[in-house]
Amino acid sequence: EELTYRFENISFFQNDGWVIGKPAILLHTKDGGKTWLRVPVSPKLPGEPILITALGPDTAEMTTSAGAIYVTNNGGRNWKAQVKETIDSTLNRTISSGVSGASYFTGNIIGVIRDKNGKYLAISSRGNFFLTWQPGQEFWIPRARDTSRRIQSMGFIENDLEQGLWMSTRGGGLSFTKSQPDFDSINNFDFSSSDIKTGGYGILDVNFKNKDELWAACGGGILYSSIDGGKSWKKDDEDKVIGSLYKIKFFNSKLGFVLGSNGVLLRYV
């Protein structure tokens, strides 16, 4: 019986591209997508591939749902581990360092995000804590959320840790770090709440067009925009769609898209 695959992530560096999907599949192209080669995925791989980042010719970084990170520089023939152990092994070995919900962790991570310099955020599948990793560290560092509400989504401001982090929580909460977070420190990050009123709809993604203008996508097919760095927000009533809006992506100041359920794709104009 032929399997039906669902492609979940794609990344290109010039003409060198990669695609991952479920059930576990990894494809590689060297000619801008004209032809694709299937790269074997080891059945011993901890977790499932959930994020792939093209870094150069035949070079890519792959992350799995168990928090394993691998790099290849020969088109996927060999992969080098960047982290010594999976997230559940780290948490259960260190007894979670007092992070609520992390002890005896057996779930997966969701919402893995990589900034432009290779630093990572990951959210536990239950949303009760998050983790960070940066190149050179042997293990992921678990971190407590600063609110009683569970984490909905997270990301890097302008795709750069040096600019800070944002965090959305269940029920429409949104906050930003007050200063550049230190991924080497085990101390909690200091978040400041943003005054956005979504009527209880969860914020699924936030993306910055520039340092002042940003957009938030919510359940219920609603978009919110801010032109003062998130201090105040305006509801975009014109573009309300049936369903949810999941992902916002700006490629430059004039080109942006919003991806939603039921095949909805909005373009920034």
Side-chain angles (χ1 to χ4, degrees):
E1 184 179 348
E2 186 175 347
L3 290 174
T4 299
Y5 292 95
R6 182 178 66 194
F7 295 146
E8 296 203 325
N9 191 241
I10 184 169
S11 179
F12 270 86
F13 180 91
Q14 298 176 354
N15 285 329
D16 201 279
W18 301 79
V19 170
I20 58 174
K22 289 182 179 181
I25 187 172
L26 176 62
L27 304 176
H28 180 216
T29 180
K30 298 183 179 182
D31 55 15
K34 295 177 182 177
T35 60
W36 292 86
L37 176 68
R38 184 168 179 175
V39 179
V41 177
S42 171
K44 297 181 180 179
L45 187 73
E48 296 180 336
I50 56 174
L51 184 65
I52 188 82
T53 305
L55 300 175
D58 283 336
T59 304
E61 188 170 272
M62 178 176 65
T63 312
T64 77
S65 58
I69 302 174
Y70 298 94
V71 170
T72 181
N73 54 20
N74 58 10
R77 290 192 298 273
N78 303 101
W79 296 85
K80 182 178 180 181
Q82 305 300 297
V83 184
K84 279 195 171 183
E85 61 188 10
T86 59
I87 285 176
D88 56 350
S89 297
T90 297
L91 293 175
N92 295 332
R93 176 178 54 80
T94 60
I95 321 179
S96 75
S97 301
V99 177
S100 176
S103 297
Y104 306 107
F105 174 77
T106 58
N108 289 327
I109 54 175
I110 59 173
V112 177
I113 308 101
R114 181 187 191 274
D115 86 343
K116 63 182 182 181
N117 298 311
K119 298 171 183 180
Y120 280 87
L121 286 169
I123 307 167
S124 73
S125 55
R126 293 173 57 193
N128 47 356
F129 65 97
F130 69 101
L131 307 103
T132 63
W133 180 85
Q134 64 181 352
Q137 292 180 335
E138 296 183 344
F139 314 107
W140 288 81
I141 298 177
R143 302 185 185 276
R145 66 188 193 277
D146 67 341
T147 172
S148 60
R149 293 185 176 183
R150 294 183 183 271
I151 302 169
Q152 179 99 50
S153 187
M154 293 187 71
F156 295 95
I157 296 175
E158 296 187 84
N159 196 30
D160 187 355
L161 175 64
E162 293 186 3
Q163 303 301 319
L165 306 175
W166 62 266
M167 175 192 293
S168 69
T169 53
R170 303 288 170 85
L174 180 64
S175 57
F176 301 91
T177 51
K178 297 179 180 179
S179 57
Q180 178 185 342
D182 183 1
F183 272 21
D184 285 323
S185 170
I186 61 173
N187 296 326
N188 292 339
F189 300 153
D190 189 13
F191 283 85
S192 177
S193 296
S194 178
D195 185 23
I196 183 171
K197 296 177 176 62
T198 68
Y201 286 109
I203 298 171
L204 304 181
D205 194 27
V206 174
N207 201 279
F208 285 72
K209 180 183 170 187
N210 52 51
K211 65 183 180 66
D212 294 318
E213 183 177 346
L214 60 153
W215 289 74
C218 303
I222 305 170
L223 284 172
Y224 288 83
S225 63
S226 172
I227 55 174
D228 55 12
K231 295 177 182 177
S232 62
W233 293 86
K234 178 183 177 182
K235 184 178 180 181
D236 185 4
D237 292 316
E238 294 181 3
D239 293 324
K240 190 178 186 305
V241 299
I242 298 174
S244 294
L245 300 174
Y246 294 121
K247 193 72 177 176
I248 306 175
K249 176 72 174 180
F250 282 101
F251 294 90
N252 54 50
S253 61
K254 296 182 180 180
L255 183 62
F257 295 92
V258 181
L259 183 64
S261 59
N262 303 319
V264 170
L265 181 64
L266 305 179
R267 180 172 179 171
Y268 178 84
V269 293

